[in-house]
Amino acid sequence: MSQAPSYKRILLKLSGEALMGDDNYGINRSTIEQIVGQIKEVVELGVQVGIVIGGGNIFRGVSSAASGMDRATADYMGMMATVMNALALKDAMGKVGLIARVQSALTMQQIAEPYVRGKAMQYLEEGKVVIFGAGTGNPFFTTDTAAALRGMEMNVDIMLKATKVDGVYTDDPKKNPDAVRYQTLTFDEAIGRNLKVMDATAFALCRDQHLNIKVFSIFKQGALKRVVLGEDEGTLVHC
């Protein structure tokens, strides 16, 4: 008998860099297929999945040219990069039989639906994956903050922050082999120990609205499934 998932509805926060693989920028096809495969595993368990994705992998290719830009202009360019990533994810999902919808906080009617909360929740309840593009639709706010907002709006059970490191550590595990992974942390402990879980605005929103965060590595095969099954994977940051 298969184990029941611990969470019915999740919000997965993916950085754009997660799609790069070992490339310097852009989208690595084998990497995106591996990530989509993990998402399919949890959808087949009956978990409702929303995704907020960054755009750093696309924007990195023009970052030197953008260095002297007005901040708001550069941020809008970054938002468009997130929509490009969202479309790539949707395409990869369609190839493995997943039904996905892209909703954008910026109006791009030809390629994405506008973000509508009620419609997004309906899609989730129908078993479709909803990919939220263009961040919050406002400059000066990161996609971490967008993930916190969408997670609260979608009434998710938990936010899952997918990274290259399998949790939050006492020190940088790449530099210090004796660094220890925290299994759990409170928000106050993370703040007190100056642990960089996500940007300060997003972190404060999650803490104030009691939205727990699980930090894990999307590059460990089967890690996402283990997280939703409640197994010891990653680090849980809780109230």
Side-chain angles (χ1 to χ4, degrees):
M1 185 175 179
S2 60
Q3 186 179 348
S6 298
Y7 309 108
K8 179 183 177 183
R9 181 179 294 175
I10 63 172
L11 191 289
L12 179 63
K13 169 57 175 67
L14 277 173
S15 68
E17 287 79 359
L19 304 185
M20 287 168 34
D22 295 326
D23 299 338
N24 292 324
Y25 59 88
I27 297 169
N28 182 287
R29 193 67 197 179
S30 63
T31 299
I32 199 172
E33 288 172 353
Q34 185 267 344
I35 291 171
V36 166
Q38 293 207 54
I39 294 169
K40 183 179 181 181
E41 283 186 325
V42 302
V43 170
E44 289 175 344
L45 292 174
V47 178
Q48 298 173 11
V49 181
I51 301 172
V52 168
I53 189 162
N57 59 315
I58 303 294
F59 198 61
R60 183 174 294 190
V62 295
S63 58
S64 59
S67 60
M69 283 185 181
D70 172 75
R71 168 65 189 274
T73 299
D75 281 359
Y76 280 119
M77 290 175 65
M79 290 179 218
M80 289 188 286
T82 71
V83 177
M84 293 171 67
N85 281 336
L87 292 172
L89 265 180
K90 178 186 177 183
D91 177 78
M93 288 180 182
K95 286 178 167 55
V96 298
L98 289 177
I99 301 173
R101 294 288 183 267
V102 175
Q103 289 200 345
S104 171
L106 295 178
T107 302
M108 299 184 181
Q109 291 181 349
Q110 287 84 353
I111 58 174
E113 300 179 22
Y115 169 65
V116 177
R117 178 176 180 262
K119 194 69 174 177
M121 295 187 75
Q122 177 185 330
Y123 287 149
L124 291 174
E125 290 164 359
E126 292 171 351
K128 298 179 176 71
V129 178
V130 183
I131 309 168
F132 301 101
T136 66
N138 302 288
F140 307 106
F141 290 95
T142 68
T143 50
D144 276 352
T145 300
L149 287 169
R150 297 293 180 253
M152 289 181 284
E153 289 175 310
M154 294 300 106
N155 298 327
V156 301
D157 299 319
I158 193 168
M159 183 200 296
L160 307 182
K161 183 173 172 72
T163 70
K164 294 183 177 181
V165 182
D166 63 340
V168 181
Y169 280 75
T170 54
D171 197 2
D172 186 343
K174 294 182 180 178
K175 298 178 180 178
N176 181 3
D178 296 323
V180 177
R181 175 176 63 89
Y182 293 104
Q183 287 187 311
T184 65
L185 280 167
T186 66
F187 283 98
D188 290 340
E189 286 172 338
I191 293 170
R193 297 172 190 175
N194 197 31
L195 300 172
K196 306 298 183 183
V197 177
M198 55 185 6
D199 80 67
T201 301
F203 198 70
L205 281 169
C206 292
R207 179 193 61 190
D208 294 346
Q209 298 300 319
H210 305 287
L211 177 59
N212 293 344
I213 306 165
K214 173 78 81 158
V215 182
F216 76 106
S217 172
I218 195 67
F219 296 100
K220 287 178 64 177
Q221 191 60 44
L224 179 57
K225 183 177 180 179
R226 289 192 292 275
V227 167
V228 302
L229 290 177
E231 298 178 12
D232 179 22
E233 187 70 49
T235 300
L236 177 66
V237 185
H238 61 92
C239 298

